[in-house]
Amino acid sequence: MTRTDRILPGVALMIAFCIVAPLIDVASKLAGAGVPVGVIVFGRGVVQAALMAPVVLLMGLSFGLGRRAFRLLALRAFFLVASTYCFVAALRVMPIADALAIVFVEPFVILLIGRFALGEEVGPRRLAASVVGFVGSLLVIQPSFAAFGAVALLPLGTAVSFAFYMLVTRTLSASVHPVPMQFHTALLAALICVPLLALGTAVGEPSTTFALPQGIFWLWVFCVGLASAVSHMAITYALAFAPSSTLAPLHYLEIVTAVVLGYLVFGDLPNALTVAGIAIIVASGLYIIHRERVTARTRGLTTELPA
């Protein structure tokens, strides 16, 4: 059982994650004004791996990996590259809050994958909440699609990629410590970017052409990796201190932070339709969290009943 005196630090770290994580988006959007998307994704991996390596050493953890763990980490890195690329590409033209709101359909995607691909038991109420959440995302996508075109669909690519990223993470968490997991994922993500950048440079694809950042853009790319490392460490230890059922509702504070930072840095404010969509997504997500708690409690009571 989680001790009560450890829950407060867990909540504080989760709030820290919700404040720091949108800084990844701010730095990505600033970097995207002068750096190809592929280079930003590559830079994130390099910086995050460089920052995580000494943490692994200081904690006395092993860098060693089994064959199965390596394959799963490579898959996790692939999904991280795909989700990051889609999101950074969207941020070049979209407000942060709009893009992030669409990405927040990811819990619904995980639920649907679990139900239809993995055969997990998902009740009709949670499936209905997932459908409502998708409707909310459409309210955000509709004005964005009208304003920015097909690029408004890229955050959906992020949501799907990140859903698979989380499913792989769930499998890995039983055998790999979360800190080396972050290091290896970042390093492998950077390595995956190398052939993509080489190919993009060869064929002249602007978004994946290798070009070194210039001037202030070095700082923005570094900040993408720094914010990624800090936010991932925060949520890793938040989950070590407090149960996910306690922390999950707090995750939606990230949207609030994204709206505030989007306005302060870029002058972006979501319109009424987008706000309505965000509200529906958040409400649906919170309802799913509630149903997960009810289901877990029911399972617990059933397990405790005598045979």
Side-chain angles (χ1 to χ4, degrees), residues 84-131:
T84 305
Y85 179 90
C86 289
F87 196 67
V88 174
L91 287 179
R92 291 170 73 94
V93 295
M94 291 180 68
I96 293 174
D98 293 42
L100 187 61
I102 298 170
V103 172
F104 262 80
V105 304
E106 171 258 328
F108 313 139
V109 176
I110 290 180
L111 204 66
L112 294 174
I113 291 172
R115 171 65 179 85
F116 296 107
L118 304 179
E120 296 178 352
E121 183 180 345
V122 179
R125 295 179 184 177
R126 282 181 288 169
L127 285 176
S130 297
V131 172

